[in-house]
Amino acid sequence: MKVSILISTGGGDASRYLEAVERAGGQGSAVHLPQPDVRFDGLILAGGGDVHPSCFHSFNRGSRDIDLARDRAELALLDAFTAARRPVLGICRGHQVANVWAGGTLVQDLSKALAPFHQQPQGDCFHPVCTKRGSRMGEWYGAVCSVNSNHHQAVDRVGRGLIPTAWSEGGVVEAMEHRSLPLWTVQFHPERMEAGGQVVFSQFIQLCRRLRGDGEV
């Protein structure tokens, strides 16, 4: 039986996430404001707008495209899936939501020096990142690799239990792993990378399969 993945979205086109999950051997279900349903084998928090600053005890200093209902729904999803030890993958906004869930904070608007490396009007920016030795990112991509970005916010103070595993210009955190929970996050968009992105989904589906009890794969 295929691994079932709940994909929390902003209500837009989720076809690339669904296709990436399918290629990795899973079956995705994309929903805006899903209820916490741990009958799914794993959870993907997809990209989208900014997290409401109140979620990390701040005022608005550049946040936009806020969906507070989505913030609340995804924080509840993280509570439920981590409590059940179901794997979670956070992508772009999901990377930031996971950090806030763990008690971290966000840079609400990257500086003018950093912003051009992470967001352009025409779409994704590609830029190099350095990975942490011994991390999953290091194993998958080597010491230095190129990733895509389309965001104007970033992880600031890292949340409890999270370990940064990749960095780009100016120290922007590009990936994290949790010390004890099956929680991985990336600031970039592997579902939109023509080469190299699929490994994130393949490894995530394998983790879901192992924790479901299907054994080593």
Side-chain angles (χ1 to χ4, degrees):
M1 187 171 67
K2 283 189 174 183
V3 169
S4 61
I5 304 297
L6 177 61
I7 306 171
S8 179
T9 76
D13 182 9
S15 60
R16 292 197 178 186
Y17 294 100
L18 292 165
E19 290 166 4
V21 167
E22 183 73 24
R23 285 196 301 271
Q27 180 66 51
S29 179
V31 185
H32 180 225
L33 306 182
Q35 294 297 309
D37 185 351
V38 295
R39 290 175 296 181
F40 286 91
D41 298 308
L43 169 68
I44 292 176
L45 302 177
D50 296 342
V51 180
H52 197 292
S54 65
C55 294
F56 49 97
H57 310 292
S58 185
F59 298 103
N60 193 323
R61 298 187 176 92
S63 296
R64 53 184 186 258
D65 300 324
I66 292 168
D67 183 347
L68 184 55
R70 184 181 179 190
D71 298 337
R72 290 169 174 162
E74 293 188 341
L75 292 171
L77 287 168
L78 278 160
D79 283 340
F81 275 76
T82 57
R85 298 201 65 85
R86 297 286 194 274
V88 179
L89 172 62
I91 295 174
C92 194
R93 168 193 155 86
H95 167 80
Q96 297 167 9
V97 171
N99 189 60
V100 169
W101 170 81
T105 61
L106 302 178
V107 175
Q108 294 188 48
D109 201 22
L110 289 169
S111 70
K112 291 182 179 180
L114 290 177
F117 293 98
H118 297 274
Q119 189 173 60
Q120 292 287 343
Q122 69 271 20
D124 289 356
C125 303
F126 284 83
H127 58 85
V129 301
C130 298
T131 66
K132 179 180 175 66
R133 184 188 298 272
S135 68
R136 289 180 175 85
M137 280 290 293
E139 177 184 346
W140 300 339
Y141 292 111
V144 179
C145 63
S146 179
V147 300
N148 58 342
S149 287
N150 190 355
H151 63 101
H152 79 108
Q153 298 198 322
V155 166
D156 188 8
R157 187 181 72 246
V158 175
R160 293 180 299 275
L162 292 170
I163 304 170
T165 59
W167 302 263
S168 59
E169 301 83 4
V172 173
V173 176
E174 294 283 344
M176 297 185 293
E177 301 174 10
H178 198 278
R179 293 181 186 276
S180 58
L181 297 170
L183 169 60
W184 305 343
T185 72
V186 293
Q187 180 63 76
F188 54 96
H189 280 276
E191 81 283 0
R192 297 205 297 254
M193 290 172 65
E194 292 184 4
Q198 190 60 31
V199 66
V200 175
F201 294 96
S202 296
Q203 292 294 319
F204 182 68
I205 294 299
Q206 288 186 35
L207 174 65
C208 292
R209 190 174 289 129
R210 287 197 298 272
L211 293 187
R212 188 174 69 179
D214 290 2
E216 295 295 328
V217 294

